Amino acid sequence: MQTFYSDDHHLHHGQAELNNGQLMPCFEKPSRADMVLERVRSTGLGPVQAPEDFGLAPIKRVHDSQFVDFLKGAWARWAALGRSHDMLPLAWPPRRMPARCPEDIDGQLGYYSFDAGVPMNAGSWQAIYSSAQVALSAQARLATGDQAAFALCRPPGHHAGIDYMGGYCYLNNAAIATQALLDGGARKVAILDVDFHHGNGTQDIFYQRPDVLFLSIHGDPRHEYPCFAGYADERGEGAGLGYNYNYPLAAGSDWTRWSQALADALRVIAGYGADALVISLGVDTYKQDPISSFKLDSPDYLRMGEQIASLGLPSLFVMEGGYAVEEIGINAVNVLSGFSSRR
């Protein structure tokens, strides 16, 4: 299985995020991708390749153009005010307040985000852009006939919506790759999100479309981030009604409970008739992850990969969350190894 990866992710290293009511060091940090890359290489999973540059056009097929331009130019505007510390939003538009985009950088940071978990520094845009190119390069391998590829993306993407960032995510790598597959000739694509946290951004992007089936297995949003999306009754709208599946699970869910949701999701995917499968690969379902409450263990990720492989679909794995840094490489590569063993 070909892995795509860019060293540019090191350029993005937030110093602090707002968590549990206080500013604290970011859980999303460069060592996450480094540990996965080390494991890919040590297990001989497959060659590692730098991404091609597909430009901004495929990104703007998914994201609002003004939002993308904001991300690209935000740091220069921030630095022009004499600020050298990380960018974080100041205010968000609440209910019944006109959601107009302000002109100043502080207002726009709030307008284009939904939390304070998206710090940006001088190198962030390059890392964000390269992460999307990693996903696009991996999908290009599927488009040319490969049956599987791994996009080792950082920063992750599944919380980023059409015109907003949040939850460590700025551009939605999985959605960008999915749209590229459709633009390249795929009729229908399924996205399976196995991250502990609901893929609210991916749901937002495809909620009204029947050409993308979105399924997410995640912590119950009544008690878990992102709090305002991921309920089971969110089934899509308009032409997309019936093409959105959420599987919210209780805290403490182990492989026995989690795999039941996976089995149903795979059943739905099998009946959809997709030409390709995109997996938002979060491994923060691990029992020792610091910001989740599921109880999966490392061998469970082998079984996860094996069961996903049973669909027999060309499959693109896109790295999302996972914050138990010592185990993130083991668990992510276990999914890929389990998948490869059955193909």
Side-chain angles (χ1 to χ4, degrees):
M1 182 186 300
Q2 181 85 51
T3 294
F4 289 86
Y5 163 86
S6 172
D7 270 331
D8 285 353
H9 81 88
H10 290 106
L11 298 171
H12 172 65
H13 190 180
Q15 297 303 302
E17 62 174 291
L18 185 62
N19 199 313
N20 296 331
Q22 59 184 333
L23 286 173
M24 58 191 346
C26 296
F27 287 105
E28 204 292 295
K29 51 192 175 183
S31 55
R32 298 177 58 251
D34 294 340
M35 294 292 287
V36 177
L37 180 65
E38 178 184 343
R39 186 70 175 180
V40 166
R41 287 174 166 160
S42 68
T43 57
L45 181 69
V48 177
Q49 184 173 326
E52 300 177 52
D53 190 341
F54 293 85
L56 286 173
I59 294 172
K60 292 185 176 183
R61 288 283 291 135
V62 165
H63 290 287
D64 176 78
S65 181
Q66 290 182 315
F67 170 59
V68 176
D69 293 343
F70 163 77
L71 288 175
K72 183 179 179 181
W75 181 260
R77 297 170 59 199
W78 182 262
L81 297 174
R83 302 171 178 176
S84 59
H85 52 280
D86 284 0
M87 298 167 56
L88 279 175
L90 172 68
W92 293 269
R95 290 176 293 280
R96 293 173 300 283
M97 184 178 289
R100 299 181 180 134
C101 185
E103 294 183 5
D104 70 63
I105 187 66
D106 290 300
Q108 288 187 0
L109 276 169
Y111 181 81
Y112 285 122
S113 66
F114 70 91
D115 68 13
V118 277
M120 295 181 68
N121 54 35
S124 291
W125 167 251
Q126 185 59 54
I128 293 163
Y129 177 82
S130 294
S131 188
Q133 302 308 317
V134 165
L136 286 165
S137 298
Q139 73 79 30
R141 292 304 292 259
L142 264 63
T144 57
D146 281 16
Q147 290 301 295
F150 175 40
L152 180 42
C153 293
R154 183 185 172 268
H158 73 148
H159 293 307
I162 294 170
D163 57 358
Y164 61 80
M165 57 185 175
Y168 313 141
C169 301
Y170 305 84
L171 295 175
N172 195 312
N173 305 308
I176 292 166
T178 296
Q179 185 62 54
L181 286 166
L182 292 166
D183 290 342
R187 296 174 304 107
K188 296 192 291 186
V189 178
I191 303 175
L192 174 63
D193 192 322
V194 298
D195 192 280
F196 172 76
H197 304 96
H198 177 249
N200 61 287
T202 313
Q203 175 173 294
D204 172 49
I205 291 165
F206 297 114
Y207 203 59
Q208 297 181 342
R209 292 174 51 174
D211 56 346
V212 177
L213 174 70
F214 176 66
L215 310 97
S216 178
I217 307 170
H218 52 268
D220 191 328
R222 294 178 300 169
H223 309 289
E224 304 288 357
Y225 180 92
C227 309
F228 306 110
Y231 292 86
D233 61 359
E234 295 163 14
R235 296 298 316 282
E237 290 180 349
L241 182 61
Y243 296 97
N244 195 91
Y245 286 76
N246 287 321
Y247 299 86
L249 303 181
S253 292
D254 59 8
W255 174 252
T256 298
R257 178 67 189 92
W258 195 94
S259 63
Q260 291 173 357
L262 177 63
D264 191 73
L266 297 180
R267 176 191 62 79
V268 174
I269 294 170
Y272 176 63
D275 296 315
L277 174 66
V278 175
I279 302 97
S280 274
L281 180 57
V283 292
D284 44 0
T285 48
Y286 181 60
K287 63 182 182 180
Q288 294 179 359
D289 194 276
I291 55 173
S292 80
S293 62
F294 285 175
K295 300 299 179 184
L296 273 62
D297 205 350
S298 292
D300 297 330
Y301 295 97
L302 287 165
R303 292 191 279 270
M304 185 187 302
E306 292 169 356
Q307 294 184 22
I308 293 171
S310 69
L311 289 170
L313 289 171
S315 299
L316 169 59
F317 293 86
V318 179
M319 194 69 208
E320 302 286 3
Y323 308 98
V325 174
E326 293 302 319
E327 293 82 13
I328 185 174
I330 295 170
N331 296 338
V333 174
N334 274 3
V335 176
L336 305 175
S337 298
F339 178 91
S340 297
S341 71
R342 294 298 177 93
R343 297 300 292 266

